[in-house]
Amino acid sequence: MGSAIDIPEVRKGASKVRVLVVDDEEFLRSIVRERLEIAGYIVEEASNGKEALAMASNGRGPYDVLLTDIRMPVMDGITLLSEVAKSCPGTAGIVMSANAELDTAVQALKMGACDYITKPFNFDVLLITIENALRKKDLERQVEDYRTNLEKKVGEQAEIINFRFIDAMIQALEERDSFHSGHSKRVTRYSLAIAEELGVTGQEHEDLRRAAVFHDLGKIGVRDAVLNKPGKLTDEEYGEIALHPEKAVRILELIPPFIPLLPAILHHHERFDGRGYPERLSGDKIPFASRIMAIADTFDAMTSTRAYRKALPDSDAIVEIRRCSGTQFDPSIVPAFLACQSKISMLGDVSLPEGFEEQPPHRLLIV
């Protein structure tokens, strides 16, 4: 071993560092352990790579430092380093090698070892090598944390930009005419009030909020002449409007964070009795969020002035929601809608354009 005879001083922070010494020579292990413990490290021993690997994976590990010989029976040091790098990537590996094994030591560095030290070694050099290896691992962790946090922040910023872009599209849609102004915000408010009455919280609540905001995005692809037609729609015109959930999905599916919202948006015009669109789903085959939004969307459509009719009083709209419970709407959700009426702050309706003539409510539930 080395010629150092001075007792090494206790190293700062060593008492929190766990070292596993792996060598088939018991005397070498014991002397290295003794010197490292004097320096303040927590040290354990293993006689070969297989034993060391078991110790690292049976609850005693992971270790901060793995100090291993190269040539050992059962499992050599190179194989051990390779396995530990997979299971305990935060462990700093240091190879103890003879001068004749330098090529193998370099191979160990390529496999992830932090450093190597040649036998016989000076214990002061060993302590410095351990400290350098720990600093290297700490730096690697800092770099990885920075990279992870940076990716997270970039992802968050991208999501905010995407959300604002889509929100701008919705505002542009609602500003095309005064009849739809504020519709998405009101539907969102009503949907969340219903959901909260039903006890919806967490991510499900947040996904509903976003889906409700975006639910009519596809109407940006519907012609103004159809969207604001004061008279009865032709079958072709109705078909154009009925495509708006699918158009919304085609826009949003290009943005990964919005993909979980797509089923709720796609199916918010399904009916509980299976006579809705686009897929004629029925009952609980319709996404839960869609069943909530269907009530909120219809209620706002009835209580807002549209090109084809004046707004209905809230009381009339509530009667209509009750009447359609079990056919258009989920009968288990309608009571929650009725229960939260006092929580819904109604917004003022837009005024009628000059010369407006009221039309028959033949499109009452087409929203």
Side-chain angles (χ1 to χ4, degrees):
M1 299 313 300
S3 59
I5 58 175
D6 295 334
I7 297 177
E9 62 181 17
V10 175
R11 319 300 266 204
K12 184 177 180 181
S15 61
K16 297 179 180 180
V17 177
R18 301 179 67 231
V19 181
L20 179 60
V21 179
V22 190
D23 199 295
D24 58 329
E25 295 183 29
E26 183 178 357
F27 175 75
L28 186 144
R29 294 198 314 270
S30 62
I31 192 66
V32 170
R33 177 173 187 165
E34 178 183 351
R35 294 299 181 94
L36 292 182
E37 287 180 338
I38 291 173
Y41 293 104
I42 302 169
V43 186
E44 295 186 40
E45 303 175 30
S47 60
N48 58 64
K50 185 175 181 180
E51 181 184 350
L53 193 60
M55 292 173 65
S57 60
N58 69 359
R60 296 169 70 176
Y63 295 90
D64 300 292
V65 178
L66 173 66
L67 183 62
T68 181
D69 190 21
I70 291 180
R71 298 185 183 278
M72 296 180 293
V74 185
M75 180 186 289
D76 61 66
I78 297 298
T79 304
L80 172 61
L81 282 169
S82 176
E83 293 299 319
V84 168
K86 298 174 186 175
S87 59
C88 309
T91 298
I94 301 174
V95 171
M96 298 181 290
S97 68
N99 284 318
E101 300 172 323
L102 284 181
D103 288 345
T104 307
V106 171
Q107 180 187 352
L109 293 177
K110 292 179 180 179
M111 297 181 65
C114 291
D115 209 340
Y116 71 91
I117 186 169
T118 56
K119 302 176 183 178
F121 49 76
N122 179 291
F123 278 102
D124 286 336
V125 173
L126 175 61
L127 294 175
I128 292 171
T129 301
I130 290 175
E131 290 173 357
N132 288 339
L134 288 169
R135 277 195 289 269
K136 181 178 179 182
K137 275 297 177 182
D138 186 56
L139 181 60
E140 288 177 359
R141 280 191 289 270
Q142 291 181 39
V143 170
E144 179 61 22
D145 288 346
Y146 177 80
R147 184 188 66 80
T148 301
N149 290 334
L150 182 61
E151 289 179 352
K152 181 180 179 181
K153 289 179 180 178
V154 169
E156 290 172 349
Q157 288 299 315
E159 185 171 351
I160 290 171
I161 291 171
N162 288 330
F163 189 91
R164 288 178 177 172
F165 174 71
I166 299 299
D167 189 51
M169 292 178 67
I170 292 169
Q171 290 185 40
L173 167 66
E174 295 188 353
E175 288 175 4
R176 284 163 62 182
D177 69 278
S178 58
F179 298 114
H180 289 83
S181 179
H183 171 67
S184 294
K185 291 181 180 178
R186 291 192 298 273
V187 170
T188 302
R189 176 181 298 162
Y190 305 160
S191 295
L192 294 182
I194 297 168
E196 287 160 11
E197 189 69 30
L198 292 167
V200 175
T201 59
Q203 190 60 49
E204 188 177 14
H205 185 276
E206 175 61 16
D207 286 347
L208 173 62
R209 183 182 72 83
R210 292 190 172 194
V213 170
F214 298 156
H215 79 282
D216 265 355
L217 176 62
K219 284 185 178 177
I220 203 165
V222 179
R223 291 173 294 153
D224 287 347
V226 174
L227 199 60
N228 300 315
K229 183 177 179 179
K232 186 177 181 179
L233 295 175
T234 66
D235 290 344
E236 181 182 356
E237 290 167 339
Y238 179 83
E240 183 176 342
I241 286 184
L243 289 174
H244 78 270
E246 296 168 78
K247 290 180 179 179
V249 166
R250 284 199 292 272
I251 295 170
L252 294 171
E253 68 185 356
L254 303 175
I255 307 174
F258 296 156
I259 290 177
L261 314 179
L262 301 186
I265 294 171
L266 179 63
H267 298 295
H268 75 274
H269 277 296
E270 303 286 1
R271 290 172 52 109
F272 197 74
D273 60 10
R275 294 169 55 204
Y277 62 85
E279 295 181 2
R280 292 185 172 274
L281 301 183
S282 63
D284 59 9
K285 293 180 181 178
I286 304 170
F288 181 59
S290 301
R291 285 177 269 153
I292 291 175
M293 287 193 293
I295 298 174
D297 192 20
T298 302
F299 180 74
D300 185 66
M302 289 191 290
T303 55
S304 301
T305 294
R306 296 293 172 88
Y308 48 89
R309 59 158 173 78
K310 290 181 180 179
L312 293 178
D314 292 359
S315 57
D316 289 358
I318 291 171
V319 168
E320 188 68 14
I321 297 290
R322 286 180 183 272
R323 187 182 69 82
C324 295
S325 177
T327 53
Q328 184 170 354
F329 307 119
D330 185 339
S332 68
I333 297 178
V334 170
F337 163 76
L338 299 174
C340 70
Q341 285 302 299
S342 61
K343 301 177 184 178
I344 295 178
S345 176
M346 304 302 298
L347 302 178
D349 191 42
V350 296
S351 58
L352 295 175
E354 185 178 354
F356 178 88
E357 292 184 4
E358 184 177 359
Q359 299 293 328
H362 48 74
R363 288 167 59 190
L364 183 62
L365 300 182
I366 300 175
V367 293

